[in-house]
C-alpha cells in the first residue's frame, strides 16, 4: 500500500525501481528482528563485563568479589548467546549496531536493574528454565520494548521500521515464550516459503498494472461518497482488496476484508475502515452472484 502510494505521489511509472525498494524494505524487517534479539545478548554481556571489572577493583567489596550472577546466568539469555543460528545470521547480515552504539545497551541495562522485575528476580535464590523464560519475556515486554530511546534509535536507523517495530516485537516475544530447555534457539525465517515471498511482488504488480480496471469495480458502488473526495489511501486499499478477491484464489475473502479494514484504521481517515468494509463486503456479494470468484480450498468463502 505504501509503495503504491509513493508511486502516486512521485507520479512515477518506474515499477522496477519501486519494487526493488519494496523488496528491500521487507527484507530488512529481518535485520530489525535480529537486532532486537542481539540486544538481549549484548545486555547480558555488558552486565557480565561489569561484574568482572567490579570484582577486580583494588578495594572491591565482598559483594563485588562474589556478586549475584543470576541475571548473567539466565538460561534463556545464555541460550541466545550460544545460538549458532543467531550468530550466523548476525554475521551474514553484518549486524553489529550495538557494538558501535553500546550506550543504548548500557541505558537498557540501567533501566532493567532499576526495575522491580529485576529486583524480585534477583532476590529469588532458586531458578528454573521456566522462571528464567518468564522473567525475560516480562522484561522484554515491560522494559525493553517500550523504551522510547530505543524506539527513536531504531526509527532513525531505518525509516520504514516505524511500522515494523510492533510486529517484530510481537514475534520476538512469541519466540521467547516458545523456547525450551535443551533445545537450541533457531532464528525464524522472514518468509514461510518462496510463495510467501513472491506474494509481495505479485500483489504489488497486479494492483499497479490493473489500477484502471480495478477502480471500475467500485466507482459506481459508492453512492453516498463523492468519488473525487475518497481519500487516496482508501482508493489504493480498495484496489488491493479487489485484486486479492479476483486474482488470488488461495486467500479467503474474510481474511482480505479484515486485513484491509485494519490497514484503513491505521493509515487512513477515522471513517475509512467503515467505508472500506462496506464497499468490499458489497463487492463480495456482487462477485459471488455473478460467479466471478474463483476461490479454492475449504473456508475460502
Amino acid at each position: 500500500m505504501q509503495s503504491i502510494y509513493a508511486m502516486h505521489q512521485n507520479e512515477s511509472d518506474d515499477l522496477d525501481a519501486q519494487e526493488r525498494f519494496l523488496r528491500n524494505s521487507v527484507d530488512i524487517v529481518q535485520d530489525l528482528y535480529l537486532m532486537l534479539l542481539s540486544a538481549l545478548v549484548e545486555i547480558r554481556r555488558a552486565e557480565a563485563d561489569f561484574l568482572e571489572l567490579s570484582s577486580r577493583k583494588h578495594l572491591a567489596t565482598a559483594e563485588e568479589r562474589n556478586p549475584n550472577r543470576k541475571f548473567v546466568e539466565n538460561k534463556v539469555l545464555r541460550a541466545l548467546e550460544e545460538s549458532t543460528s543467531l550468530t550466523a545470521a548476525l554475521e551474514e547480515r553484518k549486524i553489529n549496531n550495538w557494538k558501535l552504539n553500546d550506550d543504548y545497551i548500557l541505558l537498557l541495562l540501567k533501566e532493567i536493574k532499576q526495575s522491580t522485575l529485576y529486583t524480585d528476580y534477583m532476590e529469588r535464590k532458586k531458578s528454573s528454565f521456566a522462571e528464567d523464560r518468564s522473567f525475560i519475556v516480562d522484561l522484554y515486554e515491560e522494559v525493553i520494548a517500550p523504551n522510547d530511546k530505543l524506539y527513536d534509535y531504531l526509527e532513525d536507523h531505518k525509516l520504514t521500521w516505524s511500522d515494523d517495530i510492533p510486529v517484530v516485537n510481537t514475534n520476538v516475544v512469541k519466540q521467547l515464550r516458545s523456547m525450551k530447555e535443551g533445545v537450541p534457539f533457531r532464528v525464524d525465517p522472514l518468509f514461510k516459503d518462496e510463495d510467501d515471498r513472491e506474494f509481495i511482488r505479485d500483489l504489488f504488480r497486479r494492483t499497479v498494472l490493473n489500477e484502471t480496471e480495478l477502480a471500475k469495480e467500485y466507482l459506481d458502488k459508492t453512492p453516498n461518497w463523492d468519488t473525487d473526495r475518497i481519500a487516496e489511501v482508501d482508493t489504493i486499499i480498495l484496489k488491493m482488496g479487489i485484486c486479492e478477491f479476483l486474482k488470488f484464489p488461495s486467500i479467503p475473502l474474510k481474511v482480505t476484508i479484515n486485513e484491509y479494514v485494519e490497514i484503513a484504521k491505521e493509515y487512513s481517515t477515522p471513517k475509512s475502515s467503515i467505508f472500506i468494509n462496506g464497499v468490499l463486503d458489497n463487492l463480495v456479494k456482487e462477485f459471488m452472484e455473478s460467479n466471478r470468484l474463483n476461490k479454492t480450498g475449504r473456508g475460502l468463502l
Side-chain angles (χ1 to χ4, degrees), residues 102-244:
D102 65 344
D103 48 327
Y104 287 95
I105 295 300
L106 297 176
L107 181 151
L108 289 170
L109 178 58
K110 181 179 179 181
E111 288 206 10
I112 287 169
K113 294 172 75 172
Q114 289 175 343
S115 70
T116 54
L117 276 172
Y118 177 86
T119 302
D120 293 344
Y121 173 74
M122 296 298 282
E123 287 178 350
R124 293 192 293 272
K125 292 185 178 180
K126 293 184 179 180
S127 67
S128 63
F129 185 87
E131 184 199 12
D132 283 0
R133 181 179 57 206
S134 179
F135 167 66
I136 294 301
V137 168
D138 290 344
L139 202 63
Y140 191 89
E141 288 185 311
E142 297 179 30
V143 180
I144 297 174
N147 186 275
D148 290 336
K149 291 186 178 178
L150 174 63
Y151 183 93
D152 290 343
Y153 169 75
L154 295 173
E155 189 177 40
D156 290 342
H157 187 65
K158 297 288 184 183
L159 183 61
T160 57
W161 279 355
S162 60
D163 293 318
D164 303 325
I165 293 171
V167 177
V168 174
N169 277 333
T170 299
N171 190 54
V172 169
V173 168
K174 180 181 178 181
Q175 197 172 13
L176 290 174
R177 280 204 179 105
S178 68
M179 289 179 67
K180 296 179 181 178
E181 188 169 15
V183 178
F185 178 86
R186 293 196 60 80
V187 168
D188 269 354
L190 180 60
F191 298 100
K192 180 178 64 177
D193 50 36
E194 193 58 30
D195 288 344
D196 199 19
R197 179 189 292 273
E198 291 308 311
F199 168 72
I200 297 167
R201 183 201 64 185
D202 293 344
L203 179 59
F204 174 70
R205 281 190 169 266
R206 290 176 187 178
T207 302
V208 171
L209 294 175
N210 295 281
E211 283 201 79
T212 302
E213 291 74 15
L214 294 170
K216 291 177 182 177
E217 301 290 351
Y218 67 80
L219 287 178
D220 298 329
K221 312 298 188 303
T222 56
N224 298 321
W225 299 77
D226 185 342
T227 304
D228 293 336
R229 297 182 63 186
I230 299 176
E232 185 169 8
V233 169
D234 290 353
T235 67
I236 295 170
I237 290 173
L238 286 173
K239 291 169 187 173
M240 292 175 69
I242 296 166
C243 185
E244 284 192 18

Side-chain angles (χ1 to χ4, degrees), residues 235-282:
T235 67
I236 295 170
I237 290 173
L238 286 173
K239 291 169 187 173
M240 292 175 69
I242 296 166
C243 185
E244 284 192 18
F245 287 160
L246 301 176
K247 301 180 183 296
F248 290 85
S250 64
I251 301 178
L253 298 171
K254 289 183 180 179
V255 169
T256 293
I257 294 175
N258 291 341
E259 290 287 353
Y260 288 113
V261 166
E262 289 304 312
I263 291 174
K265 287 179 182 178
E266 184 73 20
Y267 294 100
S268 199
T269 69
K271 295 182 179 180
S272 289
S273 61
I274 299 171
F275 171 68
I276 296 296
N277 185 70
V279 174
L280 292 181
D281 191 54
N282 286 334

Side-chain angles (χ1 to χ4, degrees), residues 1-4 6 17-33 93 158-165 167-168 190-191 197 200-201 204:
M1 185 272 288
Q2 291 174 322
S3 293
I4 296 170
Q18 192 59 46
E19 185 184 322
R20 285 194 297 272
F21 176 80
L22 172 60
R23 281 185 175 275
N24 180 65
S25 66
V26 173
D27 286 341
I28 61 174
V29 171
Q30 187 76 345
D31 292 351
L32 173 60
Y33 159 74
R93 298 295 295 178
K158 297 288 184 183
L159 183 61
T160 57
W161 279 355
S162 60
D163 293 318
D164 303 325
I165 293 171
V167 177
V168 174
L190 180 60
F191 298 100
R197 179 189 292 273
I200 297 167
R201 183 201 64 185
F204 174 70

